[in-house]
Amino acid sequence: MAVVSGATLITPTLLSSVKLKTKLTNDKPLRIALCGLGKYAKILAEALASTHNCKLMGLITGTPEKEVSWGEKYNIPSKNIYNYKNFDTIKDNKDIDLVYVVLPNSMHKEFTIRAANSGKHVIVEKPMALNAPDCLEMIAACKKNKVQLAVGYRLHFDPYYHEMKRLASTDELGPVRYIDSGFGYRIKGWAKDAWHLKKELSGGGPLPNIGIYCIQNNRYILGEEPKYVTAQFGPIQRPEYFKEVEESITWQLEFPGGAITNSASSYSYNVNKIYASGDKGFIELDPAHNYAPLKGKSSQGIMNFPLINQQSEQMDGIAEYILRDEALPTHITGEEGYKDMVVIDAIYKSAKTGRKVEIKRA
Ligand code: NAD
C-alpha cells in the first residue's frame, strides 16, 4: 500500500465495489434519444461518445435550428429527430430504446410520461419532478408501460461515492451518527429571468437543483429514510435574482437509527462537501458533488481513484441492466427520485412554517 505525506493512500485495488467498464458481449448498444438540448445535454452527448454500451440515436428539441445543428454534429438521421409536438410518434421508431429527459424541471413529468406511453425506457434528470405526487405519476406510467425509469444521479457511478458507501456499509466506520453536507455556489451573470429562478419551471432555488445532492448522500450513506426535518430559509441578499425562489436554505434531518444530518444549499455562498462521522472513523469528500475528479479522505487514508467520466459511467451502467433486461438497482430508479422529492417537499414545508415536519411517504 502506498503512503502519501504520512497518510495511507487508498488505491483502486482496495475498491472492490468499483465497476470497471466492460465491453458487453452483446454488441447491440442501448440507443438513446436526448430530449432537451441545453447545456447538460451537450455534456451527455459528449459523454455518450465514450460509452461502451450506448449510442446517441435520436434528438427531441423545441428549437428548429438545433434539429439541424445537432443532427449534423452527431450524425442523426432526420427520421430520428422530433419536436415537442410530434414526439409521441417516437413509439413507431424501432431505432430508439430510451429517452433521456434533460429539460427544465417542470417538463420532466410530461416528457417522462409521454416517453413511457411510447414504450421507451426513460432516464430523467434530477430533480425528478416539481413535487413528490408528480414522481408517483411518472413511476406509475413507466410501470403501466413496462419500461424502466432511472434518475440521472451521476454520483452513484463515481468511485469516491462507491468507497463512501462501502465504508458506511461495513464496520470500518462504525455506525454513522452525524453528517454535515453542503452544496452551494454564488451565481454570477445569470439572466434575471433564467428558468432556474422561476418557481413554476424549477420548483425552487438551490434546494431542488443542487441541495438535492445532500439529501441523496445522507440517505445513501445511512441507508435509511429520514423521519423529521427542520429547515430555515437564509436571507435574501440579492432581490434582483430571488423574487420567486430561495437564495439559501439550511435543514436538519432526523433518521430512525438516531443519526442527525445538517445541510446547506445556496446560490449565494460556495460549499461543496460531505463529512460523515461514525463511532470508529470518518469520511470526508471535498469537493463532493462535482463532475469528476472528486477528492476525499477517511479514517482509512487518502482516497485516490482513477479519473472517470461520471456521465459515461452512468449511462453505461444503466445500459448494462436494460440490455440484459434486468431490473435497475433501486438506488438509481424513479423510487429514489421520489424519496428525494418527499424530503424536498417536507423541507419547504418546514422552512415556510418554522416547524419540525414529519416526513411521510406514500
Ligand atoms: P438548460 O437551460 O441549459 O437547457 C434546457 C433546455 O430545455 C434548453 O435546450 C431549452 O431550449 C429547453 N427548454 C424548453 N422549454 C424551455 C423553457 N420553457 N425554458 C427554458 N428552457 C426550455 O438547462 P440544463 O442545465 O441543461 O438543465 C436541464 C436539466 O438537467 C435540469 O433538470 C437540470 O437539473 C439537469 N442537470 C443535471 C445535471 C447533473 O449533473 N446531473 C447538471 C446540469 C443540469
Side-chain angles (χ1 to χ4, degrees):
M1 196 178 291
V3 171
V4 171
S5 311
T8 306
L9 182 72
I10 299 181
T11 66
T13 49
L14 290 180
L15 229 199
S16 55
S17 55
V18 170
K19 205 157 42 72
L20 296 173
K21 265 192 210 169
T22 47
K23 176 103 177 113
L24 288 187
T25 45
N26 172 5
D27 50 23
K28 176 183 164 278
L30 184 74
R31 297 158 309 168
I32 296 181
L34 289 174
C35 176
L37 306 180
K39 289 188 285 297
Y40 195 57
K42 236 179 233 170
I43 290 170
L44 293 170
E46 299 304 324
L48 273 162
S50 64
T51 53
H52 291 164
N53 303 325
C54 306
K55 188 164 193 284
L56 179 56
M57 282 294 277
L59 303 170
I60 300 109
T61 177
T63 313
E65 305 83 68
K66 288 186 189 167
E67 293 188 20
V68 179
S69 59
W70 278 64
E72 281 174 2
K73 181 164 184 193
Y74 295 102
N75 203 18
I76 308 295
S78 56
K79 71 179 184 56
N80 291 357
I81 302 179
Y82 298 86
N83 57 43
Y84 299 155
K85 283 205 179 105
N86 69 16
F87 171 51
D88 308 277
T89 62
I90 202 168
K91 73 174 185 309
D92 301 318
N93 191 330
K94 302 282 178 257
D95 287 351
I96 312 285
D97 303 309
L98 178 144
V99 174
Y100 195 147
V101 179
V102 208
L103 288 160
N105 308 343
S106 59
M107 299 169 80
H108 290 183
K109 173 181 158 185
E110 177 192 337
F111 281 80
T112 294
I113 293 175
R114 287 173 72 182
N117 287 342
S118 303
K120 306 301 176 189
H121 301 291
V122 184
I123 305 175
V124 61
E125 258 314 315
K126 48 58 38 184
M128 182 169 160
L130 294 185
N131 53 57
D134 282 0
C135 297
L136 290 178
E137 284 186 52
M138 294 156 77
I139 292 168
C142 291
K143 277 204 178 119
K144 187 181 86 190
N145 288 290
K146 298 187 171 50
V147 295
Q148 300 220 50
L149 173 59
V151 182
Y153 287 135
R154 59 184 164 75
L155 287 166
H156 284 237
F157 296 84
D158 189 286
Y160 286 81
Y161 259 57
H162 281 254
E163 174 66 352
M164 184 175 75
K165 178 67 179 165
R166 187 191 70 77
L167 280 169
S169 316
T170 64
D171 196 40
E172 289 171 52
L173 217 59
V176 173
R177 309 277 184 199
Y178 175 71
I179 304 172
D180 189 7
S181 61
F183 195 8
Y185 43 75
R186 186 165 177 83
I187 62 165
K188 280 185 241 152
W190 279 23
K192 304 288 183 293
D193 64 350
W195 70 261
H196 278 295
L197 303 173
K198 291 189 165 171
K199 197 163 171 35
E200 208 185 325
L201 293 172
S202 60
L207 177 61
N209 188 26
I210 50 179
I212 192 169
Y213 288 101
C214 302
I215 300 165
Q216 259 289 298
N217 68 53
N218 291 177
R219 295 180 43 251
Y220 195 45
I221 291 170
L222 294 166
E224 285 188 314
E225 298 308 320
K227 278 190 78 169
Y228 299 100
V229 61
T230 313
Q232 310 79 31
F233 288 122
I236 299 284
Q237 293 166 325
R238 292 185 290 169
E240 68 277 19
Y241 281 125
F242 301 103
K243 291 184 174 60
E244 299 186 21
V245 300
E246 76 280 2
E247 183 166 353
S248 301
I249 189 161
T250 46
W251 68 95
Q252 301 76 44
L253 299 176
E254 295 173 43
F255 285 76
I260 303 284
T261 69
N262 186 39
S263 298
S265 186
S266 180
Y267 283 154
S268 153
Y269 52 81
N270 300 315
V271 56
N272 188 350
K273 66 158 186 185
I274 303 170
Y275 178 82
S277 166
D279 286 1
K280 298 188 196 167
F282 71 93
I283 313 164
E284 188 174 348
L285 298 188
D286 188 349
H289 308 105
N290 288 12
Y291 306 151
L294 307 183
K295 268 180 145 178
K297 62 184 178 190
S298 75
S299 33
Q300 307 286 315
I302 293 170
M303 299 180 195
N304 180 28
F305 298 120
L307 181 64
I308 51 129
N309 181 313
Q310 290 171 352
Q311 288 80 9
S312 306
E313 293 290 328
Q314 176 209 314
M315 289 186 281
D316 265 346
I318 289 170
E320 283 187 28
Y321 287 93
I322 294 180
L323 289 171
R324 290 195 194 115
D325 208 16
E326 284 172 16
L328 292 168
T330 46
H331 67 98
I332 50 165
T333 58
E335 276 77 9
E336 188 76 358
Y338 164 71
K339 287 174 183 166
D340 287 333
M341 280 313 306
V342 168
V343 179
I344 286 179
D345 290 351
I347 290 172
Y348 278 136
K349 190 170 169 192
S350 173
K352 275 179 202 147
T353 59
R355 297 211 184 93
K356 184 193 270 200
V357 167
E358 187 177 355
I359 304 170
K360 293 184 188 151
R361 280 159 292 276

